[in-house]
Amino acid sequence: MPKKKGDIKVVAGGIGASAPERPIKKTNQLLKGFKDILPDEQKYWQHVFKSVEKVAQQYRYLKIDSPILEETSLFVRTVGKETDIVSKEMYTFTDAGGDLVSLRPEATASIARAYIEHGMMSLPQPVKLYYVGPMFRRENPQSGRFRQFYQFGFEVLGGAGPVIDAQNILVAYNICVDLGFKPDAFTVQINSIGCQNCRGEYKKELVNFYKAKRKFLCGDCKKRLIRNPLRLLDCKVEGCRAIRRDAPQILDWLDDECKAHFMGVLEFLDALEVSYVLNPHLVRGLDYYTRTVFELWMSQKEDASQNSLGSGGRYDALVESLGGPPTPACGFAFGIERLVQLMKLQEVKVKDKKSPDIFIAQIGQQAKIRAMKLFEMLRNEGILAYEAFSKDSLKTQLELANKLQVKYAIIIGQKEVLDGTVLVRDMEAGIQEIINYEKVASDVKKKLSSA
Ligand code: AMP
């Protein structure tokens, strides 16, 4: 039998075994943790993009696109060397020029870099930016977690007051509302993790508390105790969650300024009637956060590790840590896959792109050319049409038109080409009429508007 391209020969029993050859077809598959977004799902994604753009315009955020590939050190310096994202999950490699680069695991660090690199500190402050795009983290793939996932984010740089945090949370809340989620479908969880000053004392207290319970902690938490104690509060393992109930709470350790800032945020939220849940255990996984941290959680999800739709907070030291001037800032990011998941769960009504009401069918070479020209003519008039120009049989084309549930099929054959006409068939009534080719667009428009 001739060998086909793409066939691989395997021999049962392994190399050198004498069993008969068994050709198997090797097809390429998605990498683990990656996914295709198929045409059927696109309407949900478009719905998200539209809401994001609309709300961004309402609150005057400007769009920014940053590259997917950045210097690795950008993320090490900002997200933090000891975080899971940087220590375990980044796609990092040395490129052909010898530079150590990473696929971005998140975009806030890139936005801060761009703010400094393009001198945005000389623009009127605060600078309000938003972005949409793919992020990469080599996490353990599980439901709702991917290695390439999409986020959109809203960042406000150069604004210090609690009003900025509150409005940022309001924007996140309003995106959820605009997407069509019922108010009880999600909750805003909020906490303050203070600044470097108050956090230092708190961390000591936290470590002392957890040290006494070390033997009951999971393996990861034993490491966190040394490397990243705040993340002890974030552990999803049941035993560790039980211990957390008695852990000291950061709110009791906030200095006066951080406390006043947090109270200010809550007051604005109360006044704006944004309901929230005070969550003393919310800490966030990235190093750059200061003061306010928040997450939006899906209410319906049992599994707390997968229920976060979006999250954010204040990052007052980030720009400075990258060599820029002191720049208080605040922002959030949502995961689009999670939003799509919730839209499906909530059966949010999403408008599909309008389908054409017309099908153009043709028989014969000359008719095919005429039909293609007609398609262009209708397109220029803003009339959408289906076609199957690669098909020759009229029966097949009309069956397809039927399946697509169009109102009218325009049929062009040899005779119509010679006469300068077309047949317009009312698909439901089965009635056909002859129309002058030149008048098709205006006639079809009339028919569709009166239908
Ligand atoms: P983070 O950047 O970790 O604060 O995450 C912000 C949001 O991005 C989360 O609330 C999720 O909705 C989403 N997200 C984070 N990691 C993943 C992932 N691996 N797969 C899918 N969505 C994710």
Side-chain angles (χ1 to χ4, degrees):
M1 202 211 288
K3 249 195 257 169
K4 269 192 267 148
K5 218 176 166 189
D7 282 1
I8 291 186
K9 267 196 223 154
V10 286
V11 177
I15 296 166
S18 56
E21 285 183 358
R22 196 156 40 89
I24 57 158
K25 185 110 182 140
K26 168 131 173 70
T27 53
N28 289 99
Q29 288 178 348
L30 275 169
L31 287 170
K32 200 167 147 191
F34 286 71
K35 75 174 231 153
D36 296 313
I37 307 163
L38 296 173
D40 274 356
E41 217 180 52
Q42 292 291 343
K43 62 181 176 199
Y44 293 103
W45 287 74
Q46 291 307 320
H47 186 64
V48 175
F49 297 148
K50 272 194 202 135
S51 277
V52 167
E53 208 177 304
K54 180 171 138 196
V55 175
Q57 261 176 21
Q58 289 170 342
Y59 288 91
R60 315 305 304 162
Y61 284 72
L62 302 176
K63 180 129 194 244
I64 180 165
D65 291 309
S66 64
I68 283 165
L69 201 62
E70 297 263 13
E71 286 180 311
T72 300
S73 60
L74 174 68
F75 305 113
V76 176
R77 288 166 78 183
T78 55
V79 176
K81 204 166 67 215
E82 302 297 351
T83 57
D84 285 354
I85 293 178
V86 169
S87 65
K88 297 190 221 158
E89 297 167 1
M90 277 210 300
Y91 285 89
T92 297
F93 59 96
T94 307
D95 73 4
D99 291 326
L100 190 63
V101 292
S102 296
L103 293 179
R104 62 181 183 194
E106 59 103 54
T108 305
S110 303
I111 305 301
R113 178 204 40 73
Y115 178 87
I116 301 167
E117 206 164 339
H118 301 286
M120 292 189 216
M121 54 291 250
S122 56
L123 298 173
Q125 306 291 301
V127 174
K128 295 158 87 175
L129 301 169
Y130 80 102
Y131 61 84
V132 184
M135 308 296 153
F136 302 84
R137 293 182 197 170
R138 205 175 180 289
E139 295 193 59
N140 273 339
Q142 43 189 306
S143 124
R145 262 188 198 277
F146 301 96
R147 290 180 169 176
Q148 175 178 333
F149 58 97
Y150 286 75
Q151 283 187 339
F152 63 81
F154 285 62
E155 315 282 359
V156 185
L157 297 109
V163 67
I164 300 272
D165 313 39
Q167 202 187 32
N168 209 225
I169 294 170
L170 181 67
V171 171
Y173 181 91
N174 281 339
I175 287 175
C176 288
V177 173
D178 196 76
L179 284 171
F181 299 146
K182 297 182 197 105
D184 63 356
F186 61 94
T187 59
V188 177
Q189 307 274 321
I190 188 167
N191 192 21
S192 172
I193 55 168
C195 61
Q196 296 292 355
N197 293 338
C198 26
R199 217 179 311 161
E201 284 306 304
Y202 172 67
K203 271 191 200 166
K204 276 188 213 155
E205 186 70 16
L206 194 66
V207 168
N208 283 339
F209 169 82
Y210 272 99
K211 255 189 187 159
K213 307 183 165 38
R214 195 175 181 282
K215 63 174 179 222
F216 303 109
L217 296 177
C218 72
D220 277 344
C221 277
K222 284 188 180 124
K223 286 184 208 145
R224 287 179 185 135
L225 201 48
I226 299 157
R227 293 196 196 145
N228 198 354
L230 274 191
R231 290 303 304 271
L232 286 160
L233 297 171
D234 210 20
C235 185
K236 309 289 186 274
V237 175
E238 199 38 59
C240 301
R241 282 163 75 129
I243 294 171
R244 185 182 69 181
R245 276 182 216 126
D246 300 322
Q249 299 192 355
I250 182 125
L251 288 178
D252 297 329
W253 295 81
L254 296 186
D255 62 23
D256 290 346
E257 281 177 27
C258 289
K259 210 177 279 171
H261 183 95
F262 191 46
M263 288 305 138
V265 177
L266 300 184
E267 267 170 39
F268 281 119
L269 291 178
D270 289 337
L272 292 161
E273 295 179 19
V274 176
S275 46
Y276 55 82
V277 177
L278 268 180
N279 181 342
H281 301 130
L282 195 69
V283 284
R284 312 288 305 109
L286 294 76
D287 270 7
Y288 54 62
Y289 284 112
T290 48
R291 295 190 166 169
T292 317
V293 289
F294 64 93
E295 291 195 4
L296 281 96
W297 287 2
M298 287 188 228
S299 318
Q300 259 171 301
K301 270 246 164 169
E302 292 293 300
D303 180 0
S305 64
Q306 310 302 324
N307 68 356
S308 171
L309 292 168
S311 54
R314 190 158 266 290
Y315 49 93
D316 287 344
L318 179 64
V319 173
E320 205 177 352
S321 76
L322 286 172
T327 309
C330 188
F332 66 82
F334 272 85
I336 302 184
E337 286 79 1
R338 303 268 173 94
L339 291 174
V340 168
Q341 191 187 358
L342 186 58
M343 271 189 260
K344 289 179 181 171
L345 261 172
Q346 286 250 304
E347 296 175 3
V348 168
K349 291 265 170 302
V350 176
K351 261 204 220 140
D352 226 339
K353 280 239 170 69
K354 193 177 162 5
S355 305
D357 286 322
I358 306 278
F359 188 100
I360 302 177
Q362 36 70 40
I363 332 142
Q365 183 63 11
Q366 290 309 313
K368 211 182 281 284
I369 294 170
R370 177 65 61 88
M372 288 178 86
K373 284 188 172 167
L374 178 62
F375 182 93
E376 294 306 313
M377 191 162 93
L378 294 182
R379 193 176 68 85
N380 287 328
E381 293 286 331
I383 302 170
L384 304 176
Y386 284 115
E387 46 79 17
F389 293 146
S390 63
K391 302 266 183 281
D392 294 324
S393 140
L394 182 62
K395 186 167 172 266
T396 312
Q397 291 178 69
L398 289 182
E399 273 170 8
L400 185 57
N402 229 345
K403 230 189 229 163
L404 292 165
Q405 295 183 325
V406 294
K407 290 200 173 70
Y408 300 100
I410 297 175
I411 304 165
I412 307 177
Q414 196 62 21
K415 181 171 183 308
E416 285 71 31
V417 175
L418 292 173
D419 294 353
T421 59
V422 304
L423 291 178
V424 178
R425 181 184 175 91
D426 182 322
M427 292 299 284
E428 212 181 289
I431 302 164
Q432 288 187 176
E433 59 178 309
I434 302 166
I435 290 178
N436 193 316
Y437 178 79
E438 302 301 331
K439 289 196 184 144
V440 183
S442 58
D443 207 86
V444 161
K445 248 187 204 169
K446 234 184 273 164
K447 279 188 191 305
L448 291 179
S449 64
S450 62

